[in-house]
Structure formats: structure tokens, C-alpha cells
Amino acid sequence: MESELKNSIYKVLEDGNFIMGKEVNDLESELASFINVKHCVSCANGTDALQLALMAMDIGPRDYVFAPTFTFFSTAEAISLVGARPVFVDIKADTFNIDVDKLVTKIEMIKKEGHALPKAIISVDLFGLPANYPELASIAKKYNIKLIEDAAQGLGGEINKEIAGSFGDIATTSFFPAKPLGCYGDGGALFTNNDHYAQTLRSLRVHGKGSSKYDNQRIGMNSRLDTIQAAILLVKLKIFKEEVNLRNEIAKKYYRSLSSNKNFRLPIIPNGYKSVWAQYSLLADSNEDRNNIMQKLKSKNIPTVVYYQKPLHLQSAYAHLDYIEGDFPVSEEISNRIFSIPMSPYLSKDDLDEIIKALNSV
Ligand SMILES: *Cc1c(COP(=O)(O)O)cnc(C)c1O
């Protein structure tokens, strides 16, 4: 694998086509067939991917876009970057993904107010678990709202054998090194079955180009995937399925060894769903318990991280939206109690045993 990676990178150095080289095209077709969608359009990172998706849908000022408040900042940031307004929605306590009932309530409320147009939903596959796309798709259809899947953490997950990255009108992902399918720098991609969106996205990522980049048909971005990153991803994609299986093996081992421990709740995977385990997150009983457990693990050199400390509606960047504490009680509660333990396809058996032992001795 390592020599294959080096050869693949070296070939790009020899060819010298650092921007939009052959590997970029190759990767797009490999990814499209892996995800089983008609089009894959690569871009510079997962945040740009979200922004490009919104731009392709002509979403802008005066438009409202729904997003969960418990996610990485990018999900909402992209909405603000196109001038639209994020409308936050609480999550489900079991899956940590957007609560579809609360989403419907919000949509109804905004329609009744009547001064803005609800245009799109961005749902996030948090920690690698796909959101409830069967329900989300029917809500999007009923209210004539576009659906975007933010699969930055969820690429390759499944709902009844349908693969994450294929849900919604457009799906987006990130190849940031810490994501399940990571490259050695920044990278991102969009997936769609819609020919018009694909064509628009290919234009938008290169300054809104028409027949050339000096023929500009729309305001776009400069957002391309580097050829070197594509060359790396082509090699890594070959073992991605295997890596997802390894992650699921580790999750199984965690489940078997920790499920009787009453100090925390383990992740819940609904029937028919498969997670890619971008994170393995536990829920402690209280904020104090969470901090104690993390401290104990730290003393044994076991790293833990809190995703996410603060829901987006309480970030100072969104103070102008006038949300207050208490608006989204589930997200607020979970951000106080959640923490993630090590998860990687290459976690050794010894390390795994040590983590489990430490957690069970808290
Ligand atoms: C990482 C991430 C992004 C952004 O991806 P970048 O490549 O870092 O820009 C967007 N949404 C979610 C949910 C993410 O985890």
C-alpha cells in the first residue's frame, strides 16, 4: 500500500498536471460507481462542497435552509456563505441525527409566517451514521424542498444496502485526513444523479466557466481537488470497504465489552442501518461524569475528544439569529455529556483491550 501510494504520487510529479490531471477524472468515475450515482464532481474540501451544492440550487438571500444544530460548523457556515439563513433543528437523542418530527414542525411554522422561503434541508450523517433518509426524502417531496446529504462523516454507510453519498438531491463529502476516506490534505466531492446539477457544479468549481475558464457564465468559486490528492484517494479507495469493515469489527468489540457498563450509553444503530464509525461516541450520565471518565482515560494515555462542545445555535457567530439556551434541549444536553473514544481501522488488539479495560474500571 505504501509503495503503491508513493508510485501514484510520483506519477503525478512526473506528469506535472497538478490541477485537473487525469487522476481527478479517474477518481470521479471510480467514486461515482462506488457510491452508485451518475455523477461525482470533486472539489477543494467538504465546506466548499456544501456551498457549491447550495449555489447549484440557486439558494441565496431571503432563503431559509434547515440544518441540525448538533454538527460541525461547516454545515451551517455554507448556508451563511451563500447569504441564506440557517434554521436550526434539534437532533434525536438516540441517533444524534436530525429529528424529522421537529423538522416538520419548523417547516410548517415558517410557511405560516410566510415572509421567507424554506428552500433546502442539509442533513448530516453524524459520526458515520446515515440520517433518516427514507423520512427526509418524503418530507422534502411533500414540501417541495431540496435535500442535501452532508456525508462528510458518513460516506460509505448504508440504509438497507443503499449507500450513503447517494441520498438527497445532492450529497457532499470531505476527504480531510481525519474523515473515514481521508487524503493527505484537503479535498471534497459532490454526488448527484441530476445532469443539470452536475453540469452546473463543474462550471461553478472553476469560476463559473462556460466553454473555457475565460468564458464566465456565472459567479463561481476556485474549488478543485489537487491531482496529487486524487492520486492518493485512488489508492485508498481500493481498500476503503475493507477499512469500513475493520471499523465495524472494532465497534462490535466495543459493544460486546462495554454494553453491560452502566456508566455510559453506547451508540445506537437503527435496524437496516450501517455506520462507517467516523467516531465512536459514548454518552455519560452527566457533565461531571463525562469529565471524570475523560480525566481517568487521560491518566492512562488514552485520548478522548468531545464532538461537539457547543451546538451551533449557541456559537457567537450565530448570535445575530437570536437563539437562546433552551431552544434545542436535546442537542444542549448531549453536548454536555458526549465524548468520543479512539476509533481507527488499525487500532491494535492490545490498544483496544487497554481502552476497554480502562473504561470498565472507571
Ligand atoms: C468535516 C466536515 C465538514 C467540512 O469538511 P472540510 O473538508 O473540513 O471542509 C462538513 N460537514 C461535516 C459534518 C464535517 O464533519
Side-chain angles (χ1 to χ4, degrees), residues 88-337:
F88 293 119
V89 181
D90 213 344
I91 56 164
K92 294 274 282 185
D94 52 357
T95 60
F96 308 135
N97 281 330
I98 194 165
D99 184 325
V100 292
D101 295 329
K102 289 179 181 161
L103 171 66
V104 170
T105 309
K106 268 272 155 73
I107 295 173
E108 290 283 356
M109 204 181 79
I110 283 171
K111 279 187 60 171
K112 215 171 282 165
E113 283 172 2
H115 52 69
L117 301 169
K119 276 285 184 64
I121 304 158
I122 303 182
S123 53
V124 179
D125 304 339
L126 205 74
F127 304 146
L129 177 70
N132 186 349
Y133 289 102
E135 293 264 356
L136 286 164
S138 68
I139 293 166
K141 191 166 171 216
K142 175 174 172 194
Y143 292 100
N144 192 22
I145 298 177
K146 303 284 181 236
L147 179 60
I148 297 170
E149 176 190 7
D150 180 349
Q153 302 178 15
L155 196 76
E158 289 175 15
I159 304 176
N160 301 322
K161 301 287 167 204
E162 259 190 86
I163 194 159
S166 70
F167 301 117
D169 298 287
I170 298 179
T172 67
T173 199
S174 162
F175 304 121
F176 182 80
K179 311 286 177 178
L181 181 60
C183 61
Y184 293 174
D186 277 310
L190 302 104
F191 302 92
T192 184
N193 285 314
N194 181 308
D195 296 340
H196 169 71
Y197 284 153
Q199 195 188 2
T200 309
L201 290 167
R202 289 184 192 286
S203 162
L204 283 169
R205 74 172 164 182
V206 190
H207 309 289
K209 79 178 170 88
S211 52
S212 82
K213 81 169 158 177
Y214 304 106
D215 167 33
N216 308 98
Q217 302 190 334
R218 47 175 73 78
I219 305 297
M221 294 175 71
N222 175 18
S223 187
R224 293 163 299 211
L225 181 69
D226 286 353
T227 311
I228 288 181
Q229 301 304 339
I232 290 161
L233 286 165
L234 274 168
V235 178
K236 292 193 74 180
L237 183 59
K238 287 190 211 163
I239 57 160
F240 182 56
K241 255 209 160 112
E242 197 182 310
E243 288 187 331
V244 171
N245 289 338
L246 287 170
R247 283 173 188 271
N248 272 282
E249 287 301 313
I250 290 179
K252 244 187 240 163
K253 178 88 194 276
Y254 274 145
Y255 183 79
R256 280 199 302 265
S257 318
L258 299 172
S259 57
S260 57
N261 192 318
K262 296 285 174 260
N263 288 327
F264 37 74
R265 200 204 78 192
L266 301 182
I268 292 166
I269 307 298
N271 268 340
Y273 282 63
K274 181 176 178 181
S275 176
V276 291
W277 300 107
Q279 299 296 338
Y280 196 90
S281 304
L282 305 179
L283 205 57
D285 285 339
S286 68
N287 185 252
E288 203 186 341
D289 283 1
R290 192 256 313 267
N291 298 344
N292 278 339
I293 298 172
M294 288 179 70
Q295 200 53 47
K296 290 248 167 68
L297 291 179
K298 194 178 170 203
S299 72
K300 294 179 178 166
N301 284 321
I302 298 168
T304 55
V305 192
V306 174
Y307 300 109
Y308 294 93
Q309 299 263 4
K310 202 191 260 189
L312 302 188
H313 68 283
L314 299 178
Q315 295 287 353
S316 31
Y318 284 123
H320 62 283
L321 296 181
D322 289 331
Y323 287 105
I324 53 166
E325 219 170 311
D327 278 346
F328 302 104
V330 178
S331 297
E332 290 168 24
E333 167 87 12
I334 283 171
S335 62
N336 277 322
R337 291 167 45 199

